[in-house]
């Protein structure tokens, strides 16, 4: 029921801040953790040979590469396999379209290639696993055995030359099989033009760090064909052929990239700048107003409104301050009733006044109306009659009986007032002789004496708990409109909704579409970095109105005066208003200076007004227990502990795998 939380005219509630912080923290940890795991183990496979043993031995692995002038490579792989384990249908091989290449300058780029004209000497199917194209060769209705040849042919379009000032042929000839070794292999590379025979490099990794040793290679007499051979070669690492070439060796190749990721990245970055512009126009705070000296609450604000402006309040604290304010204004007296409960006396509306309520029926009975609701409507509303008036005790009885109808919006309380009864022979103190009540104080007063009783105690008042919601709704909906510009709040919601949508777009762009050219790759990270900036700018989009800035400054000046006022100044105020100490006490409580305020008057011998009750108003520690015994209706509910469909261990790493293929059995 403590609905009123950390609120100022310029910020979110504390609960809202916590939710947003948790969301960002979990999102960041999960999202960036996923990216980190992609780099740590990009293929999503184990490096443990025993877990990836395919059940075969590679006797011979021949790779023929026919390189064209436009940087297309016609690849034919002939793999001779001896099966040493039964129960397998054939082999599979990855042919990834995204690869990472490290050139002679040790600059690593991601490069997109297009695979076409895929064929095999056997039955095969293709699919995509973790961002890599996979070919499965074999008959699903038969098992492989003995020694078999598997031939795979395809065209590998490596696209336009990404290197400036020179050309370079880089090809990862073997995929990472991780476990089996090749007994014998021969790689034949047919180049379109002759090459410099002294610039052929062979590496056992994709980063050009470890040179492959004990391999034989020779160049044909025309300088166009390279033949590389070897025995007992382990496929836990790839074999990379690297040939630096002069500029212009290759013709301009095809552009193998799209514009989807580029457009999405630019949209994300553009929206960040749009958010900054919107903040400059609608969210940037107005200049701060100076804090003037205020002897009383500025603009007749009540303690709850003052507490709302300075923030760091909760519902109990504000309601307690309003109770003291009602006592200071002469409407109620507060007496201790036992250790924890309080008895509140009504000093104004005793005999001669009663509660009157006007209620309207907002919806007629239809087929969707429950039987219980129909009975209540028929009891309190005559057929075709819209408005009904209730008086005295029947108001509380009706409100309690029809609480569900009120919540459903079937009926609506139009007016709820305390009016003078027909009997006029009792002398009484009229309300218009006392200070006017604020909206929050009115809500509280009506809840205290909802049945028109002379006294009430909070522990047994069946409707008092509703005042928390009523005061909170007023402060957050009505009063806050004067403090905070509504356009900022709307824009904050808009920006955060769009930001969530853009996060999804970025994930789709990076892990799904993934068609950004290497020279634009930085845009992925710039757009990713713009997302939290957009969120933060949206978070601070709200600002106070000019009135909000002014009244906040005046409240600050009011607080400063109360905290620093000297004895002589206070004596002057008490001389003008003997009730000054008690009038200011509820404000000192919400401004967090009540102990200072009480201490200032210890030597001034200030007398409390009559009829305020025997509650110890000077003992500020007892204020916190003001509403500790509030009656709350019992409620029941259930919650599930943990997600029932969360699953464990993501098996799909997605996006841009830098592994150069590889394979196994199925």
């Amino acid at each position: 029921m403590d609905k009123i939380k950390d609120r100022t005219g310029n910020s979110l509630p504390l609960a809202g801040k916590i939710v947003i912080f948790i969301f960002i923290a979990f999102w960041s940890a999960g999202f960036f953790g996923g990216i980190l795991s992609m780099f740590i183990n990009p293929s999503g496979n184990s490096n443990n040979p025993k877990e990836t043993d395919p059940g075969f031995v590679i006797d011979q692995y021949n790779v023929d590469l026919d390189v064209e002038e436009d940087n297309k490579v016609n690849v034919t792989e002939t793999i001779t396999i001896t099966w040493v384990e039964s129960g397998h249908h054939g082999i599979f091989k990855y042919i990834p379209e995204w690869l990472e290449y490290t050139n002679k300058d040790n600059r690593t780029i991601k490069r997109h290639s297009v695979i076409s004209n895929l064929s095999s000497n056997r039955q095969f199917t293709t699919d995509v696993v973790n961002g890599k194209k996979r070919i499965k060769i074999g008959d699903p209705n038969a098992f492989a055995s003995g020694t078999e040849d598997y031939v795979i042919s395809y065209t590998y379009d490596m696209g336009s030359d990404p290197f400036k000032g020179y050309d370079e042929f880089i090809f990862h000839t073997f995929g990472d099989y991780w476990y089996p070794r090749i007994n014998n292999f021969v790689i034949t590379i047919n180049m379109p033009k002759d090459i410099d025979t002294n610039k052929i490099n062979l590496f056992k990794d994709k980063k050009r760090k470890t040179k492959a040793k004990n391999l034989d290679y020779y160049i044909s007499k025309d300088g166009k064909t390279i033949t590389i051979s070897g025995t007992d070669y382990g496929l836990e690492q790839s074999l990379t052929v690297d040939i630096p070439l002069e500029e212009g060796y290759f013709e301009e190749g095809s552009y193998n990239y799209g514009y989807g990721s580029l457009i999405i990245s630019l949209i994300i970055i553009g929206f960040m700048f749009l958010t900054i512009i919107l903040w400059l126009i609608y969210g940037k705070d107005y200049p701060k107003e100076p804090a003037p000296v205020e002897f009383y609450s500025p603009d007749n604000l009540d303690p709850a409104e003052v507490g709302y402006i300075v923030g760091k309040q909760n519902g109990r604290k504000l309601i307690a301050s309003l109770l003291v304010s009602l006592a200071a204004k002469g409407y109620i007296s507060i007496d201790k009733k036992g250790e924890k409960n309080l008895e509140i006396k009504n000093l104004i509306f005793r005999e001669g006044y009663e509660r009157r309520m006007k209620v309207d029926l907002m919806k007629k009975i239809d087929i969707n109306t429950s039987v219980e609701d129909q009975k209540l409507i028929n009891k309190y509303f005559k057929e075709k009659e819209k408005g009904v008036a209730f008086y005295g005790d029947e108001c509380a009885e009706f409100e309690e009986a029809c609480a569900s109808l009120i919540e459903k919006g079937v009926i609506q309380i139009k007016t709820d007032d305390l009016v003078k009864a027909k009997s006029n022979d009792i002398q009484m103190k009229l309300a218009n002789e006392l200070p006017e009540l604020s909206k929050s104080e009115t809500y509280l007063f009506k809840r205290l004496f909802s049945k028109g009783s002379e006294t009430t105690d909070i522990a047994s008042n069946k409707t008092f708990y509703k005042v928390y919601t009523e005061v909170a709704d007023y402060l957050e909906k009505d009063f806050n409109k004067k403090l905070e510009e509504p356009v900022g709040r709307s824009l904050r919601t808009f920006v955060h909704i769009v930001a969530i949508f853009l996060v999804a777009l970025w994930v789709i762009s990076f892990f799904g579409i993934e068609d950004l050219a290497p020279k634009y790759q930085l845009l992925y990270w710039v757009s990713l970095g713009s997302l939290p900036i957009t969120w933060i700018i949206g978070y601070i989009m709200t600002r106070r109105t000019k009135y909000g800035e002014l009244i906040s400054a005046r409240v600050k000046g009011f607080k400063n005066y109360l905290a620093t006022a000297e004895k002589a100044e206070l004596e002057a105020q008490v001389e003008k208003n003997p009730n000054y100490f008690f009038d200011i006490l509820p404000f000192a409580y919400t401004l967090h200076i009540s102990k200072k305020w009480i201490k200032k008057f210890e030597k001034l011998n200030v007398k409390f007004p009559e009829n305020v009750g025997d509650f110890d108003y000077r003992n500020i520690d007892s204020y916190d227990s003001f509403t500790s015994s509030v009656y709350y209706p019992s409620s029941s509910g259930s919650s599930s502990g943990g997600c029932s469909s969360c699953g464990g261990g993501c098996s799909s790493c997605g996006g841009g795998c830098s592994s150069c293929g590889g394979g196994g059995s199925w």
Side-chain angles (χ1 to χ4, degrees):
M1 292 302 170
D2 274 3
K3 186 176 179 180
I4 309 171
K5 296 295 182 183
D6 273 10
R7 288 304 305 266
T8 69
N10 196 30
S11 64
L12 283 175
L14 176 60
K17 293 179 181 178
I18 293 174
V19 170
I20 290 175
F21 176 80
I22 292 174
F23 167 78
I24 293 175
F26 274 86
W27 176 80
S28 300
F31 182 71
F32 290 107
I35 293 177
L36 182 61
S37 67
M38 180 185 71
F39 287 106
I40 294 175
N41 187 16
S43 64
N45 290 287
S46 170
N47 290 322
N48 188 341
K50 294 182 179 179
E51 294 180 4
T52 56
D53 186 351
F56 60 74
V57 175
I58 301 176
D59 296 322
Q60 185 72 36
Y61 201 138
N62 294 339
V63 180
D64 296 317
L65 305 177
D66 294 327
V67 183
E68 300 180 6
E69 290 188 22
D70 59 356
N71 218 354
K72 291 180 181 177
V73 184
N74 297 308
V75 183
T76 301
E77 300 183 29
T78 303
I79 310 171
T80 302
I81 286 175
T82 298
W83 291 96
V84 295
E85 184 178 278
S86 61
H88 299 282
H89 300 286
I91 68 170
F92 65 82
K93 173 178 172 57
Y94 290 104
I95 314 175
E97 295 176 303
W98 275 100
L99 293 174
E100 284 190 356
Y101 292 93
T102 303
N103 66 1
K104 66 177 184 178
D105 298 328
N106 286 323
R107 185 169 67 93
T108 301
I109 64 169
K110 287 179 65 176
R111 192 173 179 183
H112 186 259
S113 302
V114 175
I115 301 168
S116 60
N117 304 323
L118 183 62
S119 63
S120 176
N121 65 331
R122 297 174 181 270
Q123 181 179 347
F124 73 92
T125 59
T126 61
D127 57 9
V128 176
V129 178
N130 295 341
K132 295 180 294 183
K133 194 166 188 174
R134 182 178 69 169
I135 177 172
K136 293 175 64 176
I137 307 173
D139 187 349
N141 299 315
F143 293 109
S145 62
T147 300
E148 298 187 3
D149 291 332
Y150 295 89
V151 180
I152 308 170
S153 299
Y154 54 92
T155 299
Y156 206 69
D157 184 356
M158 302 183 73
S160 57
D161 175 26
F163 308 116
K164 301 299 180 182
Y166 63 93
D167 288 354
E168 191 168 7
F169 177 74
I170 306 175
F171 200 89
H172 303 319
T173 54
F174 295 138
D176 302 352
Y177 277 85
W178 296 296
Y179 179 71
R181 302 182 68 83
I182 301 175
N183 292 336
N184 298 281
F185 74 86
V186 176
I187 300 171
T188 304
I189 306 173
N190 299 308
M191 300 295 290
K193 305 174 187 177
D194 62 331
I195 61 173
D196 187 339
T197 59
N198 295 320
K199 293 185 178 180
I200 298 175
N201 300 304
L202 302 176
F203 296 96
K204 294 190 68 174
D205 63 336
K206 297 182 283 291
K207 301 290 185 180
R208 301 173 56 96
K209 292 183 178 180
T210 306
K211 285 196 173 185
K213 299 179 181 179
N214 302 322
L215 298 181
D216 297 323
Y217 76 89
Y218 63 90
I219 310 297
S220 63
K221 291 182 179 181
D222 60 4
K224 294 183 179 181
T225 302
I226 306 104
T227 302
I228 307 167
S229 61
T231 60
D232 192 27
Y233 190 83
L235 279 173
E236 68 277 0
Q237 292 180 322
S238 63
L239 177 59
T240 300
V241 178
D242 174 78
I243 307 175
L245 304 165
E246 67 275 6
E247 178 72 14
Y249 184 91
F250 290 115
E251 298 177 357
E252 183 64 28
S254 55
Y255 186 79
N256 291 338
Y257 308 96
Y259 299 96
S261 294
L262 176 63
I263 292 173
I264 290 175
S265 296
L266 293 177
I267 288 174
I268 294 173
I269 296 170
F271 187 75
M272 177 191 69
F273 285 107
L274 175 62
T275 303
I276 293 174
I277 293 172
L278 291 174
W279 174 77
L280 290 172
I281 298 173
Y282 300 106
K284 187 178 180 181
D285 291 343
Y286 292 112
K288 300 297 181 183
E289 296 284 345
V293 176
E294 300 280 348
F295 305 119
Y296 287 89
S297 174
D299 217 14
N300 292 320
L301 298 179
D302 66 38
E305 292 167 340
V306 169
Y308 185 80
I309 290 175
V310 300
K312 298 182 181 178
Q313 313 296 316
N314 59 52
R316 293 182 181 274
K317 192 176 189 72
L318 297 188
I319 297 304
S321 71
L322 290 175
L323 279 170
V324 178
S325 181
L326 286 178
K329 288 184 176 182
Y331 281 81
I332 65 172
S333 66
I334 306 175
D335 293 294
K336 294 176 65 176
K337 186 179 180 181
E339 289 295 326
K340 296 183 178 181
N341 198 17
L342 301 174
E343 182 179 70
I344 314 296
K345 290 183 180 179
N346 185 338
L347 301 180
I348 303 303
F349 301 111
R350 297 172 183 266
E351 298 179 38
Y353 276 75
E354 63 183 0
R355 187 182 180 192
R356 179 178 295 174
M357 180 187 294
K358 178 71 165 53
V359 184
D360 284 355
L361 178 63
M362 307 305 292
K363 299 178 182 179
K364 294 183 179 180
I365 297 176
D366 56 29
I367 59 174
N368 296 319
T369 307
S370 67
V371 176
E372 292 77 9
D373 290 348
Q374 289 181 26
K375 290 180 180 179
L376 290 172
I377 293 172
N378 290 332
K379 177 180 179 181
Y380 289 102
F381 293 86
K382 296 180 181 179
E383 188 176 358
K384 297 182 179 180
E385 186 175 2
K386 186 177 181 182
V388 176
F390 298 93
Y391 299 90
D393 292 342
E394 65 182 14
C395 294
E397 295 172 1
F398 164 80
E399 190 175 12
E400 186 172 351
C402 298
S404 62
L405 295 179
I406 297 173
E407 291 179 2
K408 294 176 183 177
V410 176
I411 61 177
Q412 187 176 29
I413 300 176
K414 290 295 185 180
T415 60
D416 186 2
D417 301 305
L418 289 165
V419 299
K420 194 170 183 179
K422 295 179 181 179
S423 176
N424 298 320
D425 56 350
I426 300 177
Q427 296 296 322
M428 56 191 306
K429 194 173 185 181
L430 299 178
N432 57 15
E433 297 177 5
L434 296 175
E436 185 179 354
L437 295 182
S438 67
K439 282 192 176 181
S440 297
E441 291 167 338
T442 301
Y443 289 136
L444 177 59
F445 191 84
K446 288 181 179 180
R447 285 299 165 197
L448 284 171
F449 308 105
S450 58
K451 294 185 178 182
S453 57
E454 181 178 340
T455 61
T456 184
D457 59 88
I458 295 174
S460 62
N461 190 313
K462 302 299 183 183
T463 64
F464 183 78
Y465 70 93
K466 294 182 180 180
V467 75
Y468 290 101
T469 301
E470 292 169 339
V471 172
D473 286 344
Y474 158 67
L475 292 175
E476 294 179 3
K477 295 178 181 178
D478 297 335
F479 182 65
N480 194 58
K481 290 179 181 178
K482 299 170 64 177
L483 303 176
E484 186 180 286
E485 290 186 352
V487 65
R489 180 174 292 191
S490 299
L491 283 175
R492 179 177 62 194
T493 303
F494 167 73
V495 168
H496 285 170
I497 291 174
V498 174
I500 293 173
F501 173 72
L502 293 180
V503 169
L505 271 185
W506 190 93
V507 172
I508 293 172
S509 170
F510 187 80
F511 293 99
I513 301 175
E514 196 188 4
D515 62 354
L516 206 57
K519 61 182 178 180
Y520 301 130
Q521 289 285 315
L522 183 62
L523 285 178
Y524 276 132
W525 311 113
V526 174
S527 60
L528 177 63
S530 70
L531 288 170
I533 295 175
T534 299
W535 187 274
I536 293 170
I537 296 298
Y539 180 73
I540 63 174
M541 185 68 71
T542 57
R543 69 178 174 189
R544 289 189 175 111
T545 61
K546 291 183 178 180
Y547 169 80
E549 289 290 355
L550 176 61
I551 199 65
S552 297
R554 294 182 64 188
V555 167
K556 183 179 180 181
F558 179 47
K559 178 179 180 180
N560 290 341
Y561 171 75
L562 299 183
T564 60
E566 299 294 336
K567 180 180 178 182
E569 295 175 318
L570 296 176
E571 287 176 340
Q573 293 297 332
V574 172
E575 186 175 349
K576 296 177 184 178
N577 175 16
N579 204 38
Y580 185 68
F581 167 77
F582 200 47
D583 289 343
I584 300 300
L585 184 59
F587 297 96
Y589 183 55
T590 56
L591 289 171
H592 308 284
I593 55 173
S594 49
K595 290 185 178 180
K596 287 184 179 180
W597 184 248
I598 292 171
K599 189 174 182 179
K600 287 177 182 292
F601 284 85
E602 285 180 351
K603 298 180 180 180
L604 294 182
N605 194 25
V606 176
K607 294 182 179 179
F608 278 76
E610 297 180 0
N611 298 325
V612 295
D614 62 6
F615 180 78
D616 187 2
Y617 294 95
R618 295 181 186 272
N619 183 5
I620 208 63
D621 294 332
S622 63
Y623 282 43
D624 295 330
S625 62
F626 243 28
T627 55
S628 61
S629 58
V630 172
Y631 164 85
Y632 290 105
S634 61
S635 59
S636 60
S638 61
S639 61
S640 59
C643 175
S644 60
S645 60
C646 294
C650 177
S651 61
S652 175
C653 299
C657 182
S658 63
S659 168
C660 62
S665 61
W666 63 284

